[in-house]
Structures are given as structure tokens and as C-alpha cells.
Amino acid sequence: MTIGVKKVSLHRTARDQVFLPAILEGLLTSARHFFKNTMTKGMGDVDTIRYGEPDVDIKTYYPDRFRGVHRLMYRDDGSVRCVACMCCSTVCPAKCIYIVAEDRQDNAEKGPASFVIDELKCVVCGLCVEACPCDAIRMDTKQHMTPTERREDAVLGKVELMSRGGPSVATQGGLGPEFRAVAPQADPRFGQ
Ligand code: SF4
Ligand code: SF4
């Protein structure tokens, strides 16, 4: 059997190849919105918001499920909830989560010696949040990544991610660090 290659034409017209009409169309659209907003509407009715202007605290509406900059949650004792299971970094399609695991001081489980997210590579899919078994990582900050001219400013480490975090009330490890020493039948989650 012979496998051939089918060439598909892009069907670009001369008008498409010149680009000039498309550029003019874009300029006309911008000009139309500019005059519509400035001539026929009051400042409160313009089709934009004055977000980020100094002394003007107008922000857009964020839906409850808006995915913002990541944050790492912590336990009651202030330590990070993450147990360095690597579920988030494994599921991440952009491969932008980098974790180095270490033993925790209580030796009950692991934790992240370092936890880094490159927010410029992130495609904001939220899979890391879905995959986390510990409610350790969230994207509910309702914050955009701050625009930056330096790539390294968009690479967030554990301290920065935890600075946006907060205590999580989700059950983790059942009875705390001693949960491994407790017989399953004494654990209220399994019934008495
Ligand atoms: S939101 Fe998606 S792309 Fe971004 S860090 Fe999480 S899994 Fe990766
Ligand atoms: S944030 Fe959650 S999924 Fe990612 S390594 Fe930590 S515990 Fe695992």
C-alpha cells in the first residue's frame, strides 16, 4: 500500500497576501471604538475599565471559578500542606512546576524543599489544583500575574506562593502527625 501526501492549498487571495486591507480594517475598528467611547458616552459607560491606573481602584468582575495566580496553603502550625507527591507537576501539561522533596521534621511525610512555578509557562488549565490530594495548591487568589519585563520575576518560589496562601480546613492525614500511629479502628473516619 502506498501512502501519499495530500497538499492542501491555503487559498490565500491577493488581498490576504498584501495585509494592508486587514491592517486598515483593524485601525478603523480601533478608531470607531475610540470615537464611540469618547464622543457618545459618559466616562461611566465606556466599553472598558480603568484597571491599573494610579488612584483609580476599578477592577473587573471575577467569577468565583476564576483561575488566578497560584498559592500554597498551609496547616495550623504554619507549615506548607504540600506533601511533595508530585501529582501536580506530573499532570501539568506545560511542565512548569518544579518540586524538590525532603523529609519533614516529624518524619511522618514528605514536604517540598523547593516548590517553583513558572507562571509564564503556565497555561492556566487548573489541572494542578484538581490533582492535588491535599488542598495544598489553589488558584483562587483572583490576582493576575503582574506584568513583568524580566522572566525571573514570573518564576514564583515556595515563600512567594505561601505568602498568598492561608490555612486550609480540608482534612489532611486525619488526626495530624500521629495519624500513622493510630490504629485504623480508632480513627473516627473509619468508625469506632
Ligand atoms: S494551571 Fe495547568 S499549566 Fe498552570 S501550573 Fe497548573 S497544571 Fe500547570
Ligand atoms: S501541591 Fe499537592 S499535588 Fe502538588 S506536590 Fe504538593 S501535595 Fe502533591
Side-chain angles (χ1 to χ4, degrees):
M1 190 177 87
T2 311
I3 299 177
V5 176
K6 184 180 177 188
K7 288 185 182 172
V8 180
S9 165
L10 286 177
H11 295 300
R12 275 203 185 130
T13 63
R15 183 179 187 275
D16 294 335
Q17 291 181 23
V18 172
F19 292 113
L20 204 53
I23 292 171
L24 289 176
E25 265 175 42
L27 288 174
L28 277 175
T29 303
S30 299
R32 191 171 65 245
H33 284 291
F34 173 78
F35 286 111
K36 195 169 100 183
N37 283 332
T38 54
M39 303 292 180
T40 63
K41 292 183 174 183
M43 277 308 286
D45 301 322
V46 294
D47 294 335
T48 185
I49 55 167
R50 301 176 70 188
Y51 178 75
E53 289 183 29
D55 307 323
V56 182
D57 190 20
I58 301 174
K59 291 192 175 171
T60 188
Y61 162 75
Y62 291 100
D64 287 342
R65 297 175 69 185
F66 175 82
R67 297 186 200 120
V69 179
H70 298 80
R71 63 177 180 150
L72 284 178
M73 309 301 288
Y74 45 84
R75 308 174 193 213
D76 287 345
D77 63 4
S79 63
V80 66
R81 287 181 69 86
C82 173
V83 294
C85 67
M86 311 289 175
C87 285
C88 55
S89 56
T90 302
V91 78
C92 175
K95 300 294 172 224
C96 63
I97 304 178
Y98 313 96
I99 303 168
V100 177
E102 67 176 357
D103 285 333
R104 286 174 61 91
Q105 282 187 343
D106 55 18
N107 279 330
E109 49 199 10
K110 290 185 296 175
S114 83
F115 193 114
V116 175
I117 300 181
D118 187 339
E119 297 284 351
L120 280 184
K121 283 189 186 170
C122 171
V123 294
V124 203
C125 64
L127 288 177
C128 50
V129 180
E130 297 290 328
C132 181
C134 301
D135 186 31
I137 185 168
R138 293 192 191 176
M139 299 178 75
D140 57 357
T141 50
K142 298 196 174 173
Q143 293 174 355
H144 294 284
M145 188 58 217
T146 315
T148 173
E149 294 178 354
R150 301 189 316 158
R151 173 162 209 109
E152 54 266 37
D153 291 343
V155 179
L156 305 183
K158 187 170 85 173
V159 173
E160 193 156 7
L161 291 165
M162 283 187 74
S163 71
R164 294 189 178 84
S168 167
V169 295
T171 304
Q172 182 181 40
L175 301 176
E178 298 78 31
F179 76 100
R180 290 183 197 281
V182 179
Q185 62 271 21
D187 187 327
R189 293 174 302 162
F190 297 95
Q192 296 290 332

